[in-house]
Amino acid sequence: MQVHVSNDAATSVATGALVVPVFAGGAVDGVAAEVDRVLGGAIADVLSGGEIAGKPNETSLIHAKDTPFKRVLVIGLGERDKLKPSAIAKYAGTAVRYLGKRGVKEIALALPDGLDATLAASFAAEGAVAAIIDTTLYRTEADKPVVTTGVTILNGSYDASAVESGAKRGSVIGEAVNAARTMALTPANDMTPTHLANRAKELAADAGLEFDVLDEARMLQLGMGSLLGVSRGSDEPATLSVMTYKGDPSSSETLAIVGKGLTFDSGGISIKPAENMHEMKYDMSGGAGVIGAMWAIGKLRPKVNVIGLVPSSENLPGHRAMKPGDVLKAMNGKTIEVINTDAEGRLILADALCYAKQLGATKIIDTATLTGACVVALGHAASGTMSNDDAFVERFLKIVADSGERYWRLPLYPDYEQQIKSDIADLKNTGGRAGGAETAGAFLKAFVGDTPWIHLDIAGTAYLDAESPFMAKGPTGTPVRAFVHIVEDLAKNGAPTNGVAKSAATAAV
Ligand code: BES
Ligand code: MN
Ligand code: ZN
């Protein structure tokens, strides 16, 4: 997708279709009103006639033969006073999918007034780019493709250079989202731990990042018995990719982002039911999100140090597989009784979290399709968010509030730590059905020590069953957007301020 920026007036732009926003309540104002004058009131008619009400992502196509823009696609943006910049990503994505499916190659996008210019343009570009990915990677007879190849963002009343820089940033984020989604779509017979590490290496090179990958011999030397325990059941060797971005060499602060790269989760000896097991190719979505985000960070070059770690393995019931009752030893010396081999994500993350600390991480955010319990708690509406540090997580939640992704905090009460105490070892890898997302979080917490840390459970948000007006069904690219937003904020505003009162979510009560 080519994203351009233009000073052309909406009323005179030559394109395949012009996209204009309208709001709930039916008032035609701003750029829609200008275009409506050229159309002789056709937009007002669409609204007053009840064809659309202006709700988010509603569409109505008006043909305008004798104009340079040929067609006008009117798209709803909801209530005007509730408009948030991230809505523009959905607006742009809806435009590209609607018009692309109808054979329109080039479109021009008018922005609503009253937003931050850079943000509006960034979301427009991101939404346009992320609207289209090839979800039929292995189909030999392709469906009719979505064909929009160029989107021109019209500056309108906004500052041209702000729109230009926003569009560049948004294109990078959109490309990063798509890279993560394509990795997730790739089936496990191709997307092995080695393949995932190779993608990380390629994208690191493309974005000017340092790259290292640990093989099983190095994992053994480092004492990563937890990660190695998971990979025992498979012939595919585990990998641990490390992508390093040094945006602020004079600083001793480093954020580590760590993503679960489980390329196929059969459950292992505690095998999963067959129904929907194929979806477990998506169990590397967190790792793909880290790789995509690191690529974007390398391209955007914020003034901050970030390392991306992706522990990767298959979880299979091979004849050498770990068994329920086995005890593993992680890199930090902690021993883990394996109660259920299907709780493998936390096992591969445990060693990666230890390694992140050894590499000098002063803050850590991990992400994983970790628990079905999180999907039960929050559905597909938000990612579970847990932390050992109130100031850090409150800042994170504020920064990502309008990223286009949703995060909702869950508690890490000491009770959950009790649930994962083992009779024979330090920890056990499951705490029973109750509080399944939180006991998983409590398990990870045992490997980060005092380092400020946030855990994002994306089991319900990494992929979706249904297509939306602005996105294909399948992988969503979550949490690439959140990672980019928090990293840029750390670059701009430094470490979070301390001294925020401990909330009830972590207080020992
Ligand atoms: N990868 C799964 C979690 C998952 C479930 C992701 C559904 C996406 C959709 C994870 O490895 C897993 O199997 N978790 C178990 C943990 C349990 C055994 C404590 C679960 O949630 O059932
Ligand atoms: Mn599992
Ligand atoms: Zn899993």
Side-chain angles (χ1 to χ4, degrees), residues 133-152:
I133 51 163
D134 183 2
T135 55
T136 59
L137 297 171
Y138 291 74
R139 193 173 291 163
T140 54
E141 278 173 54
D143 274 353
K144 198 173 76 170
V146 178
V147 296
T148 301
T149 52
V151 172
T152 299

Side-chain angles (χ1 to χ4, degrees), residues 14-222:
T15 182
L18 169 66
V19 183
V20 298
V22 292
F23 294 93
V28 178
D29 62 10
V31 66
E34 288 167 35
V35 175
D36 203 29
R37 276 195 284 280
V38 178
L39 297 181
I43 297 178
D45 286 352
V46 162
L47 284 155
S48 63
E51 279 176 55
I52 66 171
K55 287 191 205 132
N57 314 318
E58 274 185 326
T59 47
S60 182
L61 187 66
I62 299 168
H63 287 264
K65 256 190 163 178
D66 299 327
T67 65
F69 42 79
K70 301 194 245 334
R71 307 168 183 90
V72 174
L73 180 65
V74 182
I75 302 185
L77 273 175
E79 285 175 47
R80 202 193 212 295
D81 54 358
K82 291 196 182 134
L83 180 67
K84 291 199 225 151
S86 70
I88 304 304
K90 295 174 179 164
Y91 167 75
T94 301
V96 168
R97 290 187 73 75
Y98 183 97
L99 292 164
K101 284 177 183 171
R102 288 160 181 83
V104 184
K105 290 204 163 61
E106 294 283 331
I107 72 173
L109 202 71
L111 299 174
D113 294 330
L115 295 172
D116 175 273
T118 312
L119 272 184
S122 179
F123 279 117
E126 178 197 314
V129 171
I132 299 179
I133 51 163
D134 183 2
T135 55
T136 59
L137 297 171
Y138 291 74
R139 193 173 291 163
T140 54
E141 278 173 54
D143 274 353
K144 198 173 76 170
V146 178
V147 296
T148 301
T149 52
V151 172
T152 299
I153 301 170
L154 303 176
N155 292 330
S157 59
Y158 291 116
D159 174 64
S161 69
V163 172
E164 189 75 51
S165 72
K168 284 210 176 95
R169 170 181 181 264
S171 295
V172 168
I173 298 174
E175 300 288 353
V177 161
N178 287 352
R181 293 160 81 200
T182 302
M183 281 182 257
L185 277 169
T186 305
N189 59 329
D190 281 342
M191 183 51 73
T192 60
T194 302
H195 186 110
L196 188 62
N198 286 338
R199 282 298 287 146
K201 186 177 182 177
E202 284 164 12
L203 290 171
D206 188 60
L209 309 173
E210 290 168 33
F211 180 77
D212 186 25
V213 57
L214 305 193
D215 60 12
E216 292 196 343
R218 278 174 76 192
M219 292 173 197
L220 196 60
Q221 271 171 3
L222 287 160

Side-chain angles (χ1 to χ4, degrees), residues 420-495:
I420 52 167
K421 281 203 166 138
S422 163
D423 290 339
I424 193 170
D426 299 328
L427 295 160
K428 54 183 180 183
N429 78 331
T430 69
R433 274 176 60 81
E438 294 85 352
T439 51
F443 182 92
L444 297 176
K445 186 175 170 222
F447 298 88
V448 293
D450 293 336
T451 307
W453 154 82
I454 299 170
H455 161 56
L456 306 174
D457 192 333
I458 57 168
T461 51
Y463 55 93
L464 298 172
D465 278 347
E467 179 184 10
S468 72
F470 47 87
M471 234 200 209
K473 72 174 177 184
T476 59
T478 301
V480 170
R481 304 164 189 83
F483 278 150
V484 173
H485 284 235
I486 187 71
V487 164
E488 286 184 333
D489 182 65
L490 289 172
K492 250 184 270 154
N493 301 319

Side-chain angles (χ1 to χ4, degrees), residues 385-404:
T385 305
M386 286 151 258
S387 179
N388 63 356
D389 187 293
D390 288 348
F392 188 26
V393 72
E394 279 162 22
R395 172 161 173 187
F396 172 84
L397 291 170
K398 194 168 143 226
I399 294 306
V400 303
D402 194 39
S403 63

Side-chain angles (χ1 to χ4, degrees), residues 260 265 267 272 283 315 341-345:
K260 173 180 175 183
D265 182 11
K272 288 182 182 294
D283 214 17
N315 186 23
T341 65
D342 198 10
E344 84 299 335

